[in-house]
PDB file of all heavy atoms in Angstrom:
ATOM      1  N   LYS K   1      -2.878  13.298   9.423  1.00 93.00           N
ATOM      2  CA  LYS K   1      -3.310  14.420  10.253  1.00 93.00           C
ATOM      3  C   LYS K   1      -2.886  15.768   9.661  1.00 93.00           C
ATOM      4  O   LYS K   1      -3.524  16.784   9.911  1.00 93.00           O
ATOM      5  CB  LYS K   1      -2.737  14.284  11.675  1.00 93.00           C
ATOM      6  CG  LYS K   1      -3.325  13.131  12.472  1.00 93.00           C
ATOM      7  CD  LYS K   1      -2.681  13.041  13.844  1.00 93.00           C
ATOM      8  CE  LYS K   1      -3.235  11.871  14.650  1.00 93.00           C
ATOM      9  NZ  LYS K   1      -2.575  11.761  15.992  1.00 93.00           N
ATOM     10  N   PHE K   2      -1.802  15.753   8.872  1.00 91.00           N
ATOM     11  CA  PHE K   2      -1.331  17.013   8.290  1.00 91.00           C
ATOM     12  C   PHE K   2      -1.184  16.968   6.769  1.00 91.00           C
ATOM     13  O   PHE K   2      -0.927  17.993   6.139  1.00 91.00           O
ATOM     14  CB  PHE K   2       0.014  17.432   8.921  1.00 91.00           C
ATOM     15  CG  PHE K   2       1.113  16.405   8.787  1.00 91.00           C
ATOM     16  CD1 PHE K   2       1.875  16.335   7.630  1.00 91.00           C
ATOM     17  CD2 PHE K   2       1.396  15.528   9.821  1.00 91.00           C
ATOM     18  CE1 PHE K   2       2.888  15.393   7.507  1.00 91.00           C
ATOM     19  CE2 PHE K   2       2.405  14.586   9.708  1.00 91.00           C
ATOM     20  CZ  PHE K   2       3.151  14.517   8.539  1.00 91.00           C
ATOM     21  N   ASP K   3      -1.354  15.806   6.174  1.00 90.00           N
ATOM     22  CA  ASP K   3      -1.216  15.699   4.719  1.00 90.00           C
ATOM     23  C   ASP K   3      -2.203  14.672   4.171  1.00 90.00           C
ATOM     24  O   ASP K   3      -2.037  13.473   4.356  1.00 90.00           O
ATOM     25  CB  ASP K   3       0.216  15.276   4.348  1.00 90.00           C
ATOM     26  CG  ASP K   3       0.495  15.393   2.856  1.00 90.00           C
ATOM     27  OD1 ASP K   3      -0.476  15.396   2.064  1.00 90.00           O
ATOM     28  OD2 ASP K   3       1.671  15.472   2.481  1.00 90.00           O
ATOM     29  N   GLU K   4      -3.239  15.168   3.510  1.00 88.00           N
ATOM     30  CA  GLU K   4      -4.245  14.261   2.941  1.00 88.00           C
ATOM     31  C   GLU K   4      -3.976  13.947   1.479  1.00 88.00           C
ATOM     32  O   GLU K   4      -4.709  13.171   0.861  1.00 88.00           O
ATOM     33  CB  GLU K   4      -5.644  14.879   3.077  1.00 88.00           C
ATOM     34  CG  GLU K   4      -5.808  16.197   2.330  1.00 88.00           C
ATOM     35  CD  GLU K   4      -7.157  16.846   2.557  1.00 88.00           C
ATOM     36  OE1 GLU K   4      -7.637  16.847   3.701  1.00 88.00           O
ATOM     37  OE2 GLU K   4      -7.728  17.352   1.580  1.00 88.00           O
ATOM     38  N   HIS K   5      -2.923  14.543   0.923  1.00 87.00           N
ATOM     39  CA  HIS K   5      -2.684  14.430  -0.520  1.00 87.00           C
ATOM     40  C   HIS K   5      -1.592  13.430  -0.901  1.00 87.00           C
ATOM     41  O   HIS K   5      -1.643  12.854  -1.995  1.00 87.00           O
ATOM     42  CB  HIS K   5      -2.315  15.801  -1.098  1.00 87.00           C
ATOM     43  CG  HIS K   5      -3.355  16.843  -0.848  1.00 87.00           C
ATOM     44  ND1 HIS K   5      -4.561  16.858  -1.495  1.00 87.00           N
ATOM     45  CD2 HIS K   5      -3.370  17.905   0.012  1.00 87.00           C
ATOM     46  CE1 HIS K   5      -5.285  17.876  -1.071  1.00 87.00           C
ATOM     47  NE2 HIS K   5      -4.583  18.517  -0.162  1.00 87.00           N
ATOM     48  N   ILE K   6      -0.607  13.226  -0.040  1.00 93.00           N
ATOM     49  CA  ILE K   6       0.485  12.337  -0.406  1.00 93.00           C
ATOM     50  C   ILE K   6      -0.064  10.938  -0.701  1.00 93.00           C
ATOM     51  O   ILE K   6      -0.927  10.420   0.024  1.00 93.00           O
ATOM     52  CB  ILE K   6       1.553  12.279   0.716  1.00 93.00           C
ATOM     53  CG1 ILE K   6       2.798  11.514   0.236  1.00 93.00           C
ATOM     54  CG2 ILE K   6       0.990  11.701   1.993  1.00 93.00           C
ATOM     55  CD1 ILE K   6       3.961  11.601   1.210  1.00 93.00           C
ATOM     56  N   MET K   7       0.398  10.324  -1.773  1.00 95.00           N
ATOM     57  CA  MET K   7      -0.033   8.969  -2.126  1.00 95.00           C
ATOM     58  C   MET K   7       0.784   7.965  -1.307  1.00 95.00           C
ATOM     59  O   MET K   7       2.015   8.044  -1.284  1.00 95.00           O
ATOM     60  CB  MET K   7       0.160   8.732  -3.628  1.00 95.00           C
ATOM     61  CG  MET K   7      -0.752   9.577  -4.503  1.00 95.00           C
ATOM     62  SD  MET K   7      -0.444   9.360  -6.278  1.00 95.00           S
ATOM     63  CE  MET K   7       1.047  10.375  -6.490  1.00 95.00           C
ATOM     64  N   ILE K   8       0.080   7.044  -0.661  1.00 95.00           N
ATOM     65  CA  ILE K   8       0.726   6.037   0.181  1.00 95.00           C
ATOM     66  C   ILE K   8       0.506   4.650  -0.406  1.00 95.00           C
ATOM     67  O   ILE K   8      -0.634   4.278  -0.712  1.00 95.00           O
ATOM     68  CB  ILE K   8       0.187   6.089   1.619  1.00 95.00           C
ATOM     69  CG1 ILE K   8       0.542   7.430   2.287  1.00 95.00           C
ATOM     70  CG2 ILE K   8       0.752   4.930   2.445  1.00 95.00           C
ATOM     71  CD1 ILE K   8      -0.062   7.599   3.673  1.00 95.00           C
ATOM     72  N   VAL K   9       1.592   3.915  -0.573  1.00 95.00           N
ATOM     73  CA  VAL K   9       1.524   2.520  -1.002  1.00 95.00           C
ATOM     74  C   VAL K   9       2.181   1.685   0.082  1.00 95.00           C
ATOM     75  O   VAL K   9       3.351   1.896   0.424  1.00 95.00           O
ATOM     76  CB  VAL K   9       2.247   2.303  -2.356  1.00 95.00           C
ATOM     77  CG1 VAL K   9       2.304   0.812  -2.691  1.00 95.00           C
ATOM     78  CG2 VAL K   9       1.524   3.064  -3.461  1.00 95.00           C
ATOM     79  N   PHE K  10       1.437   0.753   0.650  1.00 93.00           N
ATOM     80  CA  PHE K  10       1.967  -0.071   1.726  1.00 93.00           C
ATOM     81  C   PHE K  10       2.796  -1.238   1.179  1.00 93.00           C
ATOM     82  O   PHE K  10       2.475  -1.816   0.131  1.00 93.00           O
ATOM     83  CB  PHE K  10       0.837  -0.631   2.588  1.00 93.00           C
ATOM     84  CG  PHE K  10       0.292   0.354   3.563  1.00 93.00           C
ATOM     85  CD1 PHE K  10      -1.034   0.751   3.501  1.00 93.00           C
ATOM     86  CD2 PHE K  10       1.095   0.884   4.557  1.00 93.00           C
ATOM     87  CE1 PHE K  10      -1.540   1.659   4.407  1.00 93.00           C
ATOM     88  CE2 PHE K  10       0.600   1.806   5.466  1.00 93.00           C
ATOM     89  CZ  PHE K  10      -0.725   2.187   5.396  1.00 93.00           C
ATOM     90  N   LEU K  11       3.845  -1.549   1.919  1.00 92.00           N
ATOM     91  CA  LEU K  11       4.670  -2.727   1.649  1.00 92.00           C
ATOM     92  C   LEU K  11       4.430  -3.714   2.779  1.00 92.00           C
ATOM     93  O   LEU K  11       4.447  -3.332   3.955  1.00 92.00           O
ATOM     94  CB  LEU K  11       6.154  -2.335   1.624  1.00 92.00           C
ATOM     95  CG  LEU K  11       6.546  -1.197   0.685  1.00 92.00           C
ATOM     96  CD1 LEU K  11       7.963  -0.717   1.012  1.00 92.00           C
ATOM     97  CD2 LEU K  11       6.471  -1.660  -0.761  1.00 92.00           C
ATOM     98  N   THR K  12       4.190  -4.963   2.455  1.00 87.00           N
ATOM     99  CA  THR K  12       3.922  -5.935   3.503  1.00 87.00           C
ATOM    100  C   THR K  12       4.271  -7.343   3.042  1.00 87.00           C
ATOM    101  O   THR K  12       4.272  -7.640   1.848  1.00 87.00           O
ATOM    102  CB  THR K  12       2.435  -5.902   3.932  1.00 87.00           C
ATOM    103  OG1 THR K  12       2.202  -6.885   4.931  1.00 87.00           O
ATOM    104  CG2 THR K  12       1.517  -6.173   2.740  1.00 87.00           C
ATOM    105  N   GLY K  13       4.567  -8.177   3.998  1.00 81.00           N
ATOM    106  CA  GLY K  13       4.816  -9.571   3.684  1.00 81.00           C
ATOM    107  C   GLY K  13       3.584 -10.428   3.927  1.00 81.00           C
ATOM    108  O   GLY K  13       3.594 -11.633   3.678  1.00 81.00           O
ATOM    109  N   TYR K  14       2.493  -9.786   4.411  1.00 72.00           N
ATOM    110  CA  TYR K  14       1.295 -10.545   4.785  1.00 72.00           C
ATOM    111  C   TYR K  14       0.049  -9.866   4.221  1.00 72.00           C
ATOM    112  O   TYR K  14      -0.280  -8.736   4.584  1.00 72.00           O
ATOM    113  CB  TYR K  14       1.171 -10.638   6.303  1.00 72.00           C
ATOM    114  CG  TYR K  14       2.419 -11.202   6.958  1.00 72.00           C
ATOM    115  CD1 TYR K  14       3.399 -10.348   7.460  1.00 72.00           C
ATOM    116  CD2 TYR K  14       2.622 -12.586   7.047  1.00 72.00           C
ATOM    117  CE1 TYR K  14       4.550 -10.851   8.050  1.00 72.00           C
ATOM    118  CE2 TYR K  14       3.776 -13.086   7.629  1.00 72.00           C
ATOM    119  CZ  TYR K  14       4.726 -12.223   8.125  1.00 72.00           C
ATOM    120  OH  TYR K  14       5.873 -12.716   8.696  1.00 72.00           O
ATOM    121  N   ALA K  15      -0.655 -10.565   3.365  1.00 67.00           N
ATOM    122  CA  ALA K  15      -1.803  -9.987   2.668  1.00 67.00           C
ATOM    123  C   ALA K  15      -2.925  -9.563   3.607  1.00 67.00           C
ATOM    124  O   ALA K  15      -3.693  -8.656   3.291  1.00 67.00           O
ATOM    125  CB  ALA K  15      -2.337 -10.984   1.635  1.00 67.00           C
ATOM    126  N   GLU K  16      -3.031 -10.189   4.799  1.00 64.00           N
ATOM    127  CA  GLU K  16      -4.148  -9.884   5.683  1.00 64.00           C
ATOM    128  C   GLU K  16      -4.106  -8.460   6.230  1.00 64.00           C
ATOM    129  O   GLU K  16      -5.099  -7.948   6.741  1.00 64.00           O
ATOM    130  CB  GLU K  16      -4.209 -10.877   6.858  1.00 64.00           C
ATOM    131  CG  GLU K  16      -2.974 -10.902   7.742  1.00 64.00           C
ATOM    132  CD  GLU K  16      -2.010 -12.012   7.340  1.00 64.00           C
ATOM    133  OE1 GLU K  16      -1.995 -12.385   6.152  1.00 64.00           O
ATOM    134  OE2 GLU K  16      -1.268 -12.483   8.209  1.00 64.00           O
ATOM    135  N   PHE K  17      -2.951  -7.790   6.150  1.00 59.00           N
ATOM    136  CA  PHE K  17      -2.845  -6.426   6.660  1.00 59.00           C
ATOM    137  C   PHE K  17      -3.431  -5.382   5.707  1.00 59.00           C
ATOM    138  O   PHE K  17      -3.704  -4.259   6.113  1.00 59.00           O
ATOM    139  CB  PHE K  17      -1.374  -6.050   6.923  1.00 59.00           C
ATOM    140  CG  PHE K  17      -0.789  -6.712   8.137  1.00 59.00           C
ATOM    141  CD1 PHE K  17       0.227  -7.644   8.010  1.00 59.00           C
ATOM    142  CD2 PHE K  17      -1.242  -6.397   9.406  1.00 59.00           C
ATOM    143  CE1 PHE K  17       0.784  -8.253   9.123  1.00 59.00           C
ATOM    144  CE2 PHE K  17      -0.690  -6.996  10.531  1.00 59.00           C
ATOM    145  CZ  PHE K  17       0.322  -7.928  10.388  1.00 59.00           C
ATOM    146  N   VAL K  18      -3.600  -5.741   4.447  1.00 58.00           N
ATOM    147  CA  VAL K  18      -3.853  -4.722   3.437  1.00 58.00           C
ATOM    148  C   VAL K  18      -5.196  -4.040   3.598  1.00 58.00           C
ATOM    149  O   VAL K  18      -5.349  -2.874   3.214  1.00 58.00           O
ATOM    150  CB  VAL K  18      -3.747  -5.316   2.011  1.00 58.00           C
ATOM    151  CG1 VAL K  18      -2.393  -5.963   1.805  1.00 58.00           C
ATOM    152  CG2 VAL K  18      -4.858  -6.318   1.740  1.00 58.00           C
ATOM    153  N   PHE K  19      -6.204  -4.705   4.178  1.00 58.00           N
ATOM    154  CA  PHE K  19      -7.528  -4.108   4.261  1.00 58.00           C
ATOM    155  C   PHE K  19      -7.554  -2.894   5.188  1.00 58.00           C
ATOM    156  O   PHE K  19      -8.373  -2.000   5.030  1.00 58.00           O
ATOM    157  CB  PHE K  19      -8.540  -5.156   4.711  1.00 58.00           C
ATOM    158  CG  PHE K  19      -8.667  -6.295   3.731  1.00 58.00           C
ATOM    159  CD1 PHE K  19      -8.099  -7.531   4.004  1.00 58.00           C
ATOM    160  CD2 PHE K  19      -9.327  -6.116   2.526  1.00 58.00           C
ATOM    161  CE1 PHE K  19      -8.192  -8.570   3.101  1.00 58.00           C
ATOM    162  CE2 PHE K  19      -9.419  -7.153   1.607  1.00 58.00           C
ATOM    163  CZ  PHE K  19      -8.853  -8.385   1.891  1.00 58.00           C
ATOM    164  N   ASP K  20      -6.664  -2.871   6.159  1.00 62.00           N
ATOM    165  CA  ASP K  20      -6.589  -1.710   7.055  1.00 62.00           C
ATOM    166  C   ASP K  20      -6.146  -0.453   6.320  1.00 62.00           C
ATOM    167  O   ASP K  20      -6.387   0.661   6.783  1.00 62.00           O
ATOM    168  CB  ASP K  20      -5.624  -1.989   8.211  1.00 62.00           C
ATOM    169  CG  ASP K  20      -6.122  -3.100   9.126  1.00 62.00           C
ATOM    170  OD1 ASP K  20      -7.343  -3.301   9.181  1.00 62.00           O
ATOM    171  OD2 ASP K  20      -5.279  -3.755   9.751  1.00 62.00           O
ATOM    172  N   GLY K  21      -5.506  -0.619   5.186  1.00 59.00           N
ATOM    173  CA  GLY K  21      -4.966   0.527   4.460  1.00 59.00           C
ATOM    174  C   GLY K  21      -6.009   1.493   3.951  1.00 59.00           C
ATOM    175  O   GLY K  21      -5.743   2.692   3.785  1.00 59.00           O
ATOM    176  N   TYR K  22      -7.225   1.019   3.724  1.00 63.00           N
ATOM    177  CA  TYR K  22      -8.270   1.891   3.198  1.00 63.00           C
ATOM    178  C   TYR K  22      -8.686   2.953   4.203  1.00 63.00           C
ATOM    179  O   TYR K  22      -9.175   4.016   3.829  1.00 63.00           O
ATOM    180  CB  TYR K  22      -9.473   1.059   2.763  1.00 63.00           C
ATOM    181  CG  TYR K  22      -9.137   0.108   1.637  1.00 63.00           C
ATOM    182  CD1 TYR K  22      -9.041  -1.262   1.855  1.00 63.00           C
ATOM    183  CD2 TYR K  22      -8.885   0.596   0.347  1.00 63.00           C
ATOM    184  CE1 TYR K  22      -8.709  -2.134   0.816  1.00 63.00           C
ATOM    185  CE2 TYR K  22      -8.558  -0.271  -0.687  1.00 63.00           C
ATOM    186  CZ  TYR K  22      -8.469  -1.628  -0.442  1.00 63.00           C
ATOM    187  OH  TYR K  22      -8.130  -2.485  -1.464  1.00 63.00           O
ATOM    188  N   SER K  23      -8.495   2.689   5.477  1.00 65.00           N
ATOM    189  CA  SER K  23      -8.881   3.658   6.498  1.00 65.00           C
ATOM    190  C   SER K  23      -7.985   4.887   6.497  1.00 65.00           C
ATOM    191  O   SER K  23      -8.355   5.923   7.053  1.00 65.00           O
ATOM    192  CB  SER K  23      -8.854   3.008   7.890  1.00 65.00           C
ATOM    193  OG  SER K  23      -7.531   2.652   8.250  1.00 65.00           O
ATOM    194  N   VAL K  24      -6.818   4.785   5.899  1.00 81.00           N
ATOM    195  CA  VAL K  24      -5.901   5.928   5.828  1.00 81.00           C
ATOM    196  C   VAL K  24      -5.712   6.386   4.386  1.00 81.00           C
ATOM    197  O   VAL K  24      -4.777   7.112   4.069  1.00 81.00           O
ATOM    198  CB  VAL K  24      -4.532   5.592   6.467  1.00 81.00           C
ATOM    199  CG1 VAL K  24      -4.670   5.436   7.966  1.00 81.00           C
ATOM    200  CG2 VAL K  24      -3.925   4.334   5.849  1.00 81.00           C
ATOM    201  N   GLY K  25      -6.610   5.970   3.510  1.00 78.00           N
ATOM    202  CA  GLY K  25      -6.560   6.429   2.126  1.00 78.00           C
ATOM    203  C   GLY K  25      -5.366   5.924   1.351  1.00 78.00           C
ATOM    204  O   GLY K  25      -4.826   6.641   0.507  1.00 78.00           O
ATOM    205  N   ALA K  26      -4.949   4.689   1.625  1.00 84.00           N
ATOM    206  CA  ALA K  26      -3.810   4.133   0.879  1.00 84.00           C
ATOM    207  C   ALA K  26      -4.205   3.915  -0.576  1.00 84.00           C
ATOM    208  O   ALA K  26      -5.328   3.507  -0.884  1.00 84.00           O
ATOM    209  CB  ALA K  26      -3.370   2.821   1.505  1.00 84.00           C
ATOM    210  N   LEU K  27      -3.275   4.177  -1.473  1.00 86.00           N
ATOM    211  CA  LEU K  27      -3.526   4.002  -2.897  1.00 86.00           C
ATOM    212  C   LEU K  27      -3.494   2.531  -3.293  1.00 86.00           C
ATOM    213  O   LEU K  27      -4.279   2.077  -4.125  1.00 86.00           O
ATOM    214  CB  LEU K  27      -2.482   4.783  -3.706  1.00 86.00           C
ATOM    215  CG  LEU K  27      -2.596   4.721  -5.224  1.00 86.00           C
ATOM    216  CD1 LEU K  27      -3.851   5.449  -5.697  1.00 86.00           C
ATOM    217  CD2 LEU K  27      -1.360   5.349  -5.872  1.00 86.00           C
ATOM    218  N   ASP K  28      -2.578   1.773  -2.688  1.00 88.00           N
ATOM    219  CA  ASP K  28      -2.417   0.368  -3.059  1.00 88.00           C
ATOM    220  C   ASP K  28      -1.513  -0.294  -2.032  1.00 88.00           C
ATOM    221  O   ASP K  28      -1.044   0.344  -1.078  1.00 88.00           O
ATOM    222  CB  ASP K  28      -1.791   0.257  -4.447  1.00 88.00           C
ATOM    223  CG  ASP K  28      -2.134  -1.050  -5.164  1.00 88.00           C
ATOM    224  OD1 ASP K  28      -2.563  -2.006  -4.475  1.00 88.00           O
ATOM    225  OD2 ASP K  28      -1.958  -1.119  -6.386  1.00 88.00           O
ATOM    226  N   TYR K  29      -1.260  -1.580  -2.235  1.00 88.00           N
ATOM    227  CA  TYR K  29      -0.301  -2.300  -1.411  1.00 88.00           C
ATOM    228  C   TYR K  29       0.521  -3.222  -2.291  1.00 88.00           C
ATOM    229  O   TYR K  29       0.095  -3.604  -3.385  1.00 88.00           O
ATOM    230  CB  TYR K  29      -1.021  -3.115  -0.328  1.00 88.00           C
ATOM    231  CG  TYR K  29      -1.787  -4.303  -0.873  1.00 88.00           C
ATOM    232  CD1 TYR K  29      -1.193  -5.559  -0.948  1.00 88.00           C
ATOM    233  CD2 TYR K  29      -3.091  -4.162  -1.322  1.00 88.00           C
ATOM    234  CE1 TYR K  29      -1.886  -6.644  -1.462  1.00 88.00           C
ATOM    235  CE2 TYR K  29      -3.793  -5.243  -1.835  1.00 88.00           C
ATOM    236  CZ  TYR K  29      -3.187  -6.481  -1.899  1.00 88.00           C
ATOM    237  OH  TYR K  29      -3.872  -7.555  -2.409  1.00 88.00           O
ATOM    238  N   ILE K  30       1.693  -3.540  -1.841  1.00 89.00           N
ATOM    239  CA  ILE K  30       2.579  -4.442  -2.571  1.00 89.00           C
ATOM    240  C   ILE K  30       3.079  -5.513  -1.611  1.00 89.00           C
ATOM    241  O   ILE K  30       3.551  -5.209  -0.513  1.00 89.00           O
ATOM    242  CB  ILE K  30       3.783  -3.674  -3.169  1.00 89.00           C
ATOM    243  CG1 ILE K  30       3.304  -2.761  -4.304  1.00 89.00           C
ATOM    244  CG2 ILE K  30       4.849  -4.638  -3.680  1.00 89.00           C
ATOM    245  CD1 ILE K  30       4.412  -1.915  -4.905  1.00 89.00           C
ATOM    246  N   ILE K  31       2.935  -6.756  -2.026  1.00 88.00           N
ATOM    247  CA  ILE K  31       3.472  -7.859  -1.237  1.00 88.00           C
ATOM    248  C   ILE K  31       4.968  -7.980  -1.526  1.00 88.00           C
ATOM    249  O   ILE K  31       5.391  -7.999  -2.682  1.00 88.00           O
ATOM    250  CB  ILE K  31       2.767  -9.184  -1.593  1.00 88.00           C
ATOM    251  CG1 ILE K  31       1.251  -9.066  -1.310  1.00 88.00           C
ATOM    252  CG2 ILE K  31       3.367 -10.335  -0.807  1.00 88.00           C
ATOM    253  CD1 ILE K  31       0.899  -8.890   0.137  1.00 88.00           C
ATOM    254  N   LYS K  32       5.772  -7.988  -0.470  1.00 89.00           N
ATOM    255  CA  LYS K  32       7.223  -8.121  -0.635  1.00 89.00           C
ATOM    256  C   LYS K  32       7.587  -9.526  -1.116  1.00 89.00           C
ATOM    257  O   LYS K  32       6.930 -10.500  -0.723  1.00 89.00           O
ATOM    258  CB  LYS K  32       7.936  -7.848   0.698  1.00 89.00           C
ATOM    259  CG  LYS K  32       7.837  -6.434   1.196  1.00 89.00           C
ATOM    260  CD  LYS K  32       8.610  -6.345   2.507  1.00 89.00           C
ATOM    261  CE  LYS K  32       8.649  -4.952   3.073  1.00 89.00           C
ATOM    262  NZ  LYS K  32       9.407  -4.876   4.327  1.00 89.00           N
ATOM    263  N   PRO K  33       8.639  -9.643  -1.927  1.00 89.00           N
ATOM    264  CA  PRO K  33       9.395  -8.551  -2.552  1.00 89.00           C
ATOM    265  C   PRO K  33       8.651  -7.990  -3.759  1.00 89.00           C
ATOM    266  O   PRO K  33       7.965  -8.729  -4.483  1.00 89.00           O
ATOM    267  CB  PRO K  33      10.698  -9.238  -2.972  1.00 89.00           C
ATOM    268  CG  PRO K  33      10.293 -10.652  -3.255  1.00 89.00           C
ATOM    269  CD  PRO K  33       9.204 -10.983  -2.276  1.00 89.00           C
ATOM    270  N   ALA K  34       8.778  -6.698  -3.981  1.00 90.00           N
ATOM    271  CA  ALA K  34       8.097  -6.045  -5.099  1.00 90.00           C
ATOM    272  C   ALA K  34       8.680  -6.520  -6.429  1.00 90.00           C
ATOM    273  O   ALA K  34       9.893  -6.597  -6.592  1.00 90.00           O
ATOM    274  CB  ALA K  34       8.250  -4.536  -4.981  1.00 90.00           C
ATOM    275  N   THR K  35       7.806  -6.851  -7.359  1.00 89.00           N
ATOM    276  CA  THR K  35       8.269  -7.267  -8.683  1.00 89.00           C
ATOM    277  C   THR K  35       8.256  -6.081  -9.629  1.00 89.00           C
ATOM    278  O   THR K  35       7.498  -5.115  -9.438  1.00 89.00           O
ATOM    279  CB  THR K  35       7.363  -8.362  -9.259  1.00 89.00           C
ATOM    280  OG1 THR K  35       6.035  -7.823  -9.477  1.00 89.00           O
ATOM    281  CG2 THR K  35       7.280  -9.549  -8.313  1.00 89.00           C
ATOM    282  N   ALA K  36       9.068  -6.151 -10.661  1.00 88.00           N
ATOM    283  CA  ALA K  36       9.127  -5.081 -11.652  1.00 88.00           C
ATOM    284  C   ALA K  36       7.768  -4.891 -12.315  1.00 88.00           C
ATOM    285  O   ALA K  36       7.338  -3.758 -12.566  1.00 88.00           O
ATOM    286  CB  ALA K  36      10.202  -5.391 -12.691  1.00 88.00           C
ATOM    287  N   GLN K  37       7.065  -5.987 -12.592  1.00 91.00           N
ATOM    288  CA  GLN K  37       5.764  -5.907 -13.244  1.00 91.00           C
ATOM    289  C   GLN K  37       4.746  -5.175 -12.382  1.00 91.00           C
ATOM    290  O   GLN K  37       4.000  -4.308 -12.859  1.00 91.00           O
ATOM    291  CB  GLN K  37       5.254  -7.320 -13.573  1.00 91.00           C
ATOM    292  CG  GLN K  37       3.918  -7.353 -14.307  1.00 91.00           C
ATOM    293  CD  GLN K  37       3.982  -6.678 -15.664  1.00 91.00           C
ATOM    294  OE1 GLN K  37       5.012  -6.729 -16.339  1.00 91.00           O
ATOM    295  NE2 GLN K  37       2.886  -6.028 -16.054  1.00 91.00           N
ATOM    296  N   LYS K  38       4.701  -5.507 -11.089  1.00 91.00           N
ATOM    297  CA  LYS K  38       3.773  -4.848 -10.177  1.00 91.00           C
ATOM    298  C   LYS K  38       4.072  -3.352 -10.085  1.00 91.00           C
ATOM    299  O   LYS K  38       3.147  -2.515 -10.097  1.00 91.00           O
ATOM    300  CB  LYS K  38       3.863  -5.487  -8.796  1.00 91.00           C
ATOM    301  CG  LYS K  38       3.011  -4.818  -7.722  1.00 91.00           C
ATOM    302  CD  LYS K  38       1.539  -4.922  -8.003  1.00 91.00           C
ATOM    303  CE  LYS K  38       0.722  -4.325  -6.862  1.00 91.00           C
ATOM    304  NZ  LYS K  38      -0.734  -4.358  -7.105  1.00 91.00           N
ATOM    305  N   LEU K  39       5.349  -2.996 -10.018  1.00 94.00           N
ATOM    306  CA  LEU K  39       5.722  -1.588  -9.926  1.00 94.00           C
ATOM    307  C   LEU K  39       5.396  -0.842 -11.213  1.00 94.00           C
ATOM    308  O   LEU K  39       4.965   0.317 -11.175  1.00 94.00           O
ATOM    309  CB  LEU K  39       7.211  -1.456  -9.593  1.00 94.00           C
ATOM    310  CG  LEU K  39       7.602  -1.894  -8.176  1.00 94.00           C
ATOM    311  CD1 LEU K  39       9.116  -1.881  -8.016  1.00 94.00           C
ATOM    312  CD2 LEU K  39       6.954  -0.988  -7.126  1.00 94.00           C
ATOM    313  N   MET K  40       5.581  -1.474 -12.354  1.00 93.00           N
ATOM    314  CA  MET K  40       5.244  -0.852 -13.629  1.00 93.00           C
ATOM    315  C   MET K  40       3.750  -0.555 -13.707  1.00 93.00           C
ATOM    316  O   MET K  40       3.338   0.530 -14.133  1.00 93.00           O
ATOM    317  CB  MET K  40       5.669  -1.754 -14.786  1.00 93.00           C
ATOM    318  CG  MET K  40       7.171  -1.795 -15.032  1.00 93.00           C
ATOM    319  SD  MET K  40       7.639  -2.966 -16.341  1.00 93.00           S
ATOM    320  CE  MET K  40       6.828  -2.201 -17.755  1.00 93.00           C
ATOM    321  N   GLU K  41       2.929  -1.503 -13.284  1.00 93.00           N
ATOM    322  CA  GLU K  41       1.481  -1.306 -13.288  1.00 93.00           C
ATOM    323  C   GLU K  41       1.075  -0.192 -12.330  1.00 93.00           C
ATOM    324  O   GLU K  41       0.235   0.657 -12.655  1.00 93.00           O
ATOM    325  CB  GLU K  41       0.782  -2.615 -12.903  1.00 93.00           C
ATOM    326  CG  GLU K  41       0.953  -3.733 -13.926  1.00 93.00           C
ATOM    327  CD  GLU K  41       0.451  -5.072 -13.418  1.00 93.00           C
ATOM    328  OE1 GLU K  41       0.000  -5.125 -12.246  1.00 93.00           O
ATOM    329  OE2 GLU K  41       0.495  -6.055 -14.181  1.00 93.00           O
TER     330      GLU K  41
END
């Protein structure tokens, strides 16, 4: 509502939640626990 520029990456333990992220302009999602490889990419 006040910031359209900040990049948002969702953290979740359940993959089914990730599709909702596109409605708020999420950049990506990461399934917990985050791996070094995923974060590097």
Side-chain angles (χ1 to χ4, degrees):
K1 291 178 181 179
F2 57 84
D3 190 338
E4 62 184 42
H5 303 288
I6 189 171
M7 293 177 282
I8 296 175
V9 173
F10 281 118
L11 306 167
T12 179
Y14 306 95
E16 60 264 28
F17 287 114
V18 304
F19 297 105
D20 295 334
Y22 297 108
S23 66
V24 291
L27 180 68
D28 205 342
Y29 70 93
I30 291 177
I31 300 295
K32 293 181 177 181
T35 65
Q37 182 62 34
K38 176 64 176 178
L39 291 173
M40 286 176 64
E41 294 171 358

